[in-house]
Amino acid sequence: MRILFLLLLAFPAMAQTPEVERVVAATFADAPEAWKSRVTQDETQALCSLRRNEPTKAEAMAIEAREKATVKIPAEIAGSWKKGEDIAQNGRGNQFSDPAGTVAGGNCYACHQMAPAELSYGTLGPSLMHYGKLKDFAPAAAREAYGKVYNAQSVTACSTMPRFGHNGVLSEQQIKDVVAYLFDPASPVNAPVK
Amino acid sequence: MRFAAILLLALTVTAAHAQDSDSEKEIERYRAMINDPMANPGYLAVDRGEQIWAEKRGSKAASLEGCDLGVGPGVLEGAFAHLPRYFADADQVMDLEQRLLFCMKTVQGLDTKPILTNRFSAPGKASDMEDLVAFIANKSNGMKLQAPLEHPKEKAAYAVGEAMFYRRSAVNDFACATCHGDDGKRIRLQGLPNFSKPNSGAQETMGSWPTYRVSQSALRTMQHRLWDCYRQMRMPVPVYGSEGLTALTVYLAQVGGNAVINVPSIKR
């Protein structure tokens, strides 16, 4: 009985069910050694999957606290908005079709509207048009944005946005460049709508 | 090549128009193009598939005409409309591609290794699987997609497929549901069908695979579509004909259930 209770307690933090995990493992059984870790889930992925991205309040707080602990926000965010734009446009990297050594982009435009001049943007995430301007170009807001891009779930548990820094998709400098793309007054993101 | 470029243009225009409200004429033209074997290169695969189906091959020098796709040995009409399904002889749920591989081994005594190596066609390299799927699925045109959900193993596959749909992993934390969990979303300008609940968008998708992909100049099956989804999810290559891909297809066939099948279609 006590074991059952402990199991129930532990369950949310575990993978979905043994049967699902067995099938998933078999589906990706051919994965090369270096890719195997992508098939298994960390605690946050497992819980968000189980809750279909709607964790309880207590679970959300636990996730955000755990993820926040992974984020180091630099005192000053110095980056190049031009490089940030390239990163926002670039959807390459980490796919099994990519040549080895491909530097990954952030692919921000897949999901977000950003510069008003770029009409090819996705709608899975909120519009970020004029983001820096709307935040009065405040350095504190830029630091918050860095934290959000580094680890979206440090801000919102089970956010559908990738944890770019935490998962090693983008480097710290790349994230600074993306933040510059959002916050530099000269960035096209903050240009007026024509 | 020029043909492909013109088709791609036509489809892009069609897709753009489809977002407007007065797109009826364009959609009608698109439908006519899909159904015209002279305009849809996917029908070349249908013709090749017909020959492969009847060809005597393997150690048993048998054709696939002895293969039971679920509605009786050699019966093609309506078979695809009721897949994936549970097969007692294999004691597992199978989609069309898994079932064909099973029949190649058991009915024909065929070595499936080269078949699997060529599972996806490339320029100058045809795929028996793509051709067979095009031929067989086409025989369900006009029928409704009604994959059975009665056998305990069909129900179990559905549950696994649904869980896989919401399962987040890999470096981008993506699940299928990340992109296909809501209505009216898009990646860049590409519209995304919602597979989190039964709806007409999910039906349109499930009723239109296999399809001729103009950008790839190839007929592609649902196995390839899911392979490409996992590529974009930054996951490793999924095993072709695996239990997991079939489980996902069982789930998708319910969410897109009662779709009217019209294949091979043409997509960008």
Side-chain angles (χ1 to χ4, degrees), chain A residues 2-83:
Chain A
R2 218 175 73 188
I3 289 174
L4 185 69
F5 179 68
L6 285 174
L7 263 177
L8 277 174
L9 264 183
F11 185 71
M14 283 172 15
Q16 304 217 332
T17 68
E19 174 63 359
V20 173
E21 292 310 302
R22 179 191 67 76
V23 175
V24 168
T27 304
F28 299 98
D30 293 347
E33 206 51 45
W35 284 64
K36 285 205 192 306
S37 63
R38 298 196 191 192
V39 181
T40 52
Q41 297 175 301
D42 71 10
E43 219 177 334
T44 297
Q45 289 172 331
L47 184 54
C48 293
S49 302
L50 203 65
R51 297 284 182 257
R52 299 187 182 178
N53 297 331
E54 287 175 13
T56 65
K57 216 169 181 181
E59 287 167 345
M61 282 169 67
I63 289 171
E64 286 163 17
R66 181 169 65 230
E67 300 297 325
K68 205 163 246 158
T70 72
V71 187
K72 270 203 318 264
I73 300 177
E76 201 191 344
I77 316 271
S80 144
W81 71 257
K82 279 188 182 159
K83 284 183 185 163

Side-chain angles (χ1 to χ4, degrees), chain B residues 9 40 48 112 132 169 191:
Chain B
L9 186 70
N40 179 348
R48 285 194 300 266
T112 54
L132 282 166
S169 66

Side-chain angles (χ1 to χ4, degrees), chain A residues 21 27 39 45 49 121 163, chain B residues 167-168 173 186 188 239:
Chain A
E21 292 310 302
T27 304
V39 181
Q45 289 172 331
S49 302
Y121 60 86
R163 293 169 290 174
Chain B
R167 188 184 184 279
R168 301 180 66 173
D173 296 325
R186 50 177 227 240
R188 291 279 185 162
V239 175

Side-chain angles (χ1 to χ4, degrees), chain B:
Chain B
M1 201 56 224
R2 215 178 71 188
F3 176 63
I6 290 167
L7 254 182
L8 188 58
L9 186 70
L11 285 174
T12 311
V13 170
T14 307
H17 278 243
Q19 287 173 353
D20 299 330
S21 53
D22 57 345
S23 56
E24 287 304 312
K25 266 186 189 163
E26 285 300 325
I27 290 174
E28 209 38 63
R29 229 164 48 160
Y30 172 67
R31 288 206 178 106
M33 188 161 65
I34 287 172
N35 291 326
D36 181 358
M38 302 304 285
N40 179 348
Y43 277 86
L44 296 172
V46 172
D47 291 346
R48 285 194 300 266
E50 183 170 18
Q51 286 174 23
I52 299 167
W53 176 256
E55 194 186 330
K56 290 184 169 62
R57 295 202 290 186
S59 63
K60 298 179 182 175
S63 77
L64 282 167
E65 287 156 325
C67 178
D68 185 350
L69 297 172
V71 286
V75 180
L76 295 164
E77 276 71 22
F80 180 73
H82 299 97
L83 287 170
R85 72 189 302 154
Y86 173 77
F87 288 91
D89 56 4
D91 191 29
Q92 70 179 102
V93 178
M94 294 171 145
D95 73 343
L96 178 54
E97 281 139 295
Q98 271 183 311
R99 186 62 183 172
L100 284 168
L101 289 169
F102 178 85
C103 284
M104 286 172 178
K105 283 182 207 155
T106 57
V107 176
Q108 298 184 294
L110 189 68
D111 175 13
T112 54
K113 258 203 195 123
I115 305 281
L116 287 170
T117 304
N118 286 336
R119 66 199 197 284
F120 305 139
S121 65
K125 197 184 71 169
S127 157
D128 284 4
M129 293 306 290
E130 287 176 354
D131 294 346
L132 282 166
V133 169
F135 167 61
I136 294 161
N138 176 254
K139 295 284 186 194
S140 285
N141 270 5
M143 298 179 196
K144 284 184 176 176
L145 176 63
Q146 287 174 336
L149 199 59
E150 283 147 32
H151 192 277
K153 290 208 173 179
E154 289 166 352
K155 289 179 181 167
Y158 175 89
V160 169
E162 185 181 30
M164 285 176 75
F165 179 79
Y166 289 99
R167 188 184 184 279
R168 301 180 66 173
S169 66
V171 292
N172 277 10
D173 296 325
F174 285 158
C176 309
T178 306
C179 292
H180 296 288
D182 271 312
D183 290 330
K185 297 291 183 185
R186 50 177 227 240
I187 293 177
R188 291 279 185 162
L189 294 177
Q190 179 64 44
L192 298 161
N194 179 1
F195 293 119
S196 69
K197 58 178 188 201
N199 66 90
S200 62
Q203 286 182 323
E204 276 164 36
T205 300
M206 294 311 289
S208 60
W209 285 84
T211 190
Y212 183 81
R213 295 294 301 266
V214 175
S215 57
Q216 301 174 25
S217 303
L219 184 122
R220 296 303 189 198
T221 70
M222 187 48 73
Q223 287 276 335
H224 187 277
R225 177 60 267 182
L226 296 176
W227 173 89
D228 207 10
C229 283
Y230 275 119
R231 181 180 70 84
Q232 291 175 292
M233 288 160 74
R234 277 72 177 174
M235 285 288 277
V237 176
V239 175
Y240 184 85
S242 59
E243 189 182 352
L245 294 187
T246 296
L248 261 180
T249 307
V250 168
Y251 169 73
L252 294 172
Q254 291 302 320
V255 175
N258 290 313
V260 177
I261 296 166
N262 190 2
V263 294
S265 68
I266 301 186
K267 294 180 194 282
R268 83 192 151 82

Side-chain angles (χ1 to χ4, degrees), chain A residues 71-183:
Chain A
V71 187
K72 270 203 318 264
I73 300 177
E76 201 191 344
I77 316 271
S80 144
W81 71 257
K82 279 188 182 159
K83 284 183 185 163
E85 181 167 53
D86 289 344
I87 293 161
Q89 290 279 8
N90 180 7
R92 293 205 181 82
N94 290 319
Q95 302 178 117
F96 58 66
S97 54
D98 289 318
T102 302
V103 176
N107 208 14
C108 313
Y109 275 107
C111 301
H112 295 284
Q113 181 180 28
M114 301 183 88
E118 177 54 271
L119 301 179
S120 178
Y121 60 86
T123 58
L124 287 160
S127 171
L128 303 176
M129 188 166 74
H130 299 159
Y131 193 82
K133 200 169 156 187
L134 292 168
K135 299 270 180 184
D136 295 324
F137 304 111
R143 281 195 296 275
E144 264 175 48
Y146 180 97
K148 173 85 183 179
V149 178
Y150 188 94
N151 189 334
Q153 299 202 45
S154 68
V155 183
T156 309
C158 298
S159 163
T160 51
M161 179 166 153
R163 293 169 290 174
F164 286 103
H166 177 62
N167 286 344
V169 174
L170 296 179
S171 69
E172 287 178 21
Q173 188 54 54
Q174 280 180 305
I175 297 174
K176 287 179 187 173
D177 292 336
V178 168
V179 172
Y181 188 47
L182 292 171
F183 277 87

